Amino acid sequence: MRIPATGRSEAEIMAALEEYGVHDLPWREGGTFAYVYEGGRDVEAVVKAAYMRYLTENALDPTVYPSLLRFETEIVAMAVDHLRGDADCVGNFTSGGTESCILAVKAARDHARAVRGIAEPEIVLPVTAHACFQKAAHYLDMPMRLVPVDADTFKVRAEDMAAAMNESTALIVGSACQYAHGVVDPIPELGALALERQVLLHVDGCIGGFILPYFRRLGAAVTDFDFAVPGVTSISMDFHKYGYAAKGASVVLYRSKELRRHQIFTAATWTGYSVINPTIQSTKSGGPLAACWAVLNYLGDEGYMRFAERTLAATRRIADAVRATPGVRLMAEPESCLVAFTSDEFSIFPIVDAMRRRGWFVQPQLGYMGSRENIHLSIDQSTIDVVERFLPDLRASIEEARGSNEAAIPAPMKALLGSLSADSFTPETYRQLMAAAGTSEGLPEGTTAINEMLNAMQPEVAAKVMTEFFNDLYVSPKAA
């Protein structure tokens, strides 16, 4: 494909944009229980206006655009106050939770080298910690120790974290809340452990950090997880989730400038302009900054409290409905606005396709690392108003899956898949598996078979399959 020889009209371009999006998930209808966080049309209008006003401003150099520096410092100050930090706490605005967490890991690595003299710093984290921490360890070439969690609560135990630590441990991680099951790790116990061992503790509050303080104020039992907990040295929190800012908007916060210093990258040994990067990106649009600042000021504390009250009520309504439905059970009691459920009687993966046929998107999670396969629901403003329509369809889809109780792939095939080794896996193996799933190009129309195949594999083999799939997905479009 080449750049068009001649330009197209604005009308043609806008029509093409609409055409390209025709198969995207219809999130405006409230049927998407993952990925989307929507605060309403009025919020969207404010966010878009602020974003476009600062779309072309470049946050690379705050001395050129002091407005962007002001937005960032005010956003960080609001985040620090929201997470009960003091005047010594600092932070930076990032493109999302993954960047925030990578920066926290980078700061911990460099702090361990500079302050503690550790040549090869390590990170210790629960298997329920977001995969971005494993990504950080991979990118930053840090040894990583994964710790199993309690089989009933899906929370990590401080004693298990302690057993995994050694003299090279630079950072331990806890979640508030963890994404898969919607529960909060015992951060006070992890904080005490961090102080005892003199290591840093990062709390991943990307999905729960913003809304949990409101749930606490509404009377919900919320484990302390923020800077009020001694031993917590850094926190990540997204605004593009339950803060309803435009993607991507997140912050990484530190208890002190002394810690944050190790996050910053500076290069003077080249012939160009001075490079000082507090975050991973250099050039970056001021749009997300302005949009985040705008929505925080537009909704205010009262607006977010109103949203949180509705979200908490809807989460409890959905959790109650799952408890009352035969054949399924909650994975854990939700402590935020994330609900996960499974079945001990039948495969839950057909539920995903059954719901899709009814106009809903629910997210499958595979049964890895001690967690049974399950269905994940992220409760959001856009879904609250459709809960009473959603629940009958969910019950019908569960009954449909329960009634058929037929595996999408036969038992001998599952056994074969389980015996595959990551060491012997090849692109040809991948092509054979995709053909067995009913497709040689992309995913089949239904996802049950592919999910059951992945679920039968060892996690390391499944990772190879998904790598090959994405390697095939991002290729030049075929000529018409």
Side-chain angles (χ1 to χ4, degrees), residues 186-201:
I187 304 302
E189 288 87 345
L190 296 183
L193 175 62
L195 290 173
E196 176 190 343
R197 299 292 185 91
Q198 296 186 320
V199 302
L200 304 184
L201 166 60

Side-chain angles (χ1 to χ4, degrees), residues 206-480:
C206 286
I207 199 164
F210 190 81
I211 201 166
L212 283 172
Y214 287 106
F215 280 10
R216 181 190 293 119
R217 288 163 58 185
L218 288 167
V222 176
T223 303
D224 283 342
F225 68 90
D226 52 22
F227 286 118
V229 178
V232 171
T233 52
S234 60
I235 306 176
S236 50
M237 181 177 73
D238 290 357
F239 283 109
H240 60 216
K241 293 186 172 75
Y242 294 100
Y244 299 104
K247 295 177 175 63
S250 179
V251 287
V252 56
L253 308 175
Y254 297 89
R255 197 174 278 277
S256 70
K257 287 172 65 178
E258 189 279 327
L259 288 174
R260 200 259 305 269
R261 179 178 294 110
H262 300 282
Q263 171 186 294
I264 300 170
F265 171 80
T266 305
T269 51
W270 81 309
T271 58
Y273 62 90
S274 299
V275 173
I276 313 102
N277 295 148
T279 58
I280 293 173
Q281 296 184 89
S282 290
T283 291
K284 51 188 175 183
S285 168
L289 263 170
C292 183
W293 182 92
V295 73
L296 287 167
N297 282 275
Y298 178 71
L299 284 172
D301 186 67
E302 180 276 331
Y304 284 117
M305 179 63 81
R306 175 167 38 87
F307 279 7
E309 187 172 16
R310 282 165 41 88
T311 304
L312 181 60
T315 303
R316 289 171 171 171
R317 175 78 179 90
I318 290 173
D320 287 344
V322 171
R323 291 189 196 94
T325 303
V328 295
R329 61 176 174 84
L330 292 171
M331 293 290 289
E333 289 299 317
E335 296 181 62
S336 183
C337 46
L338 311 178
V339 176
F341 67 90
T342 189
S343 175
D344 300 317
E345 301 176 15
F346 55 88
S347 171
I348 50 88
F349 294 127
I351 296 171
V352 177
D353 291 337
M355 288 296 283
R356 192 67 175 262
R357 290 191 295 271
R358 291 172 168 87
W360 307 95
F361 175 81
V362 297
Q363 189 176 50
Q365 297 188 134
L366 302 173
Y368 295 156
M369 309 306 288
S371 176
R372 188 175 178 82
E373 61 273 16
N374 61 87
I375 302 292
H376 174 98
L377 306 172
S378 294
I379 315 304
D380 176 65
Q381 293 299 303
S382 63
T383 59
I384 288 171
D385 293 330
V386 297
V387 165
E388 296 310 316
R389 182 163 55 86
F390 168 78
L391 290 177
D393 283 349
L394 180 62
R395 283 191 290 267
S397 297
I398 291 171
E399 282 303 309
E400 185 179 319
R402 186 179 185 220
S404 65
N405 200 25
E406 294 179 0
I409 55 176
M413 173 65 79
K414 285 189 177 182
L416 175 62
L417 293 170
S419 68
L420 292 176
S421 166
D423 293 335
S424 60
F425 190 91
T426 66
E428 179 58 30
T429 309
Y430 165 75
R431 286 188 287 271
Q432 292 172 355
L433 290 173
M434 294 303 286
T439 180
S440 57
E441 296 182 4
L443 287 175
E445 183 177 344
T447 62
T448 298
I450 193 68
N451 280 325
E452 289 197 358
M453 288 175 68
L454 290 170
N455 199 59
M457 299 172 188
Q458 296 298 317
E460 297 81 4
V461 177
K464 296 268 190 179
V465 171
M466 290 183 275
T467 297
E468 291 296 326
F469 172 70
F470 266 63
N471 202 27
D472 281 351
L473 191 64
Y474 290 93
V475 295
S476 297
K478 295 179 178 180

Side-chain angles (χ1 to χ4, degrees), residues 59 68-69 71-72 75 93 248 284-294:
L68 301 184
L69 176 62
F71 290 144
E72 182 161 0
I75 290 167
F93 186 89
K284 51 188 175 183
S285 168
L289 263 170
C292 183
W293 182 92

Side-chain angles (χ1 to χ4, degrees), residues 129-153:
H130 195 279
C132 67
F133 290 99
Q134 298 190 38
K135 185 177 185 178
H138 176 73
Y139 281 5
L140 298 170
D141 198 22
M142 287 180 68
M144 173 186 66
R145 296 175 183 267
L146 292 177
V147 179
V149 297
D150 184 275
D152 296 319
T153 66

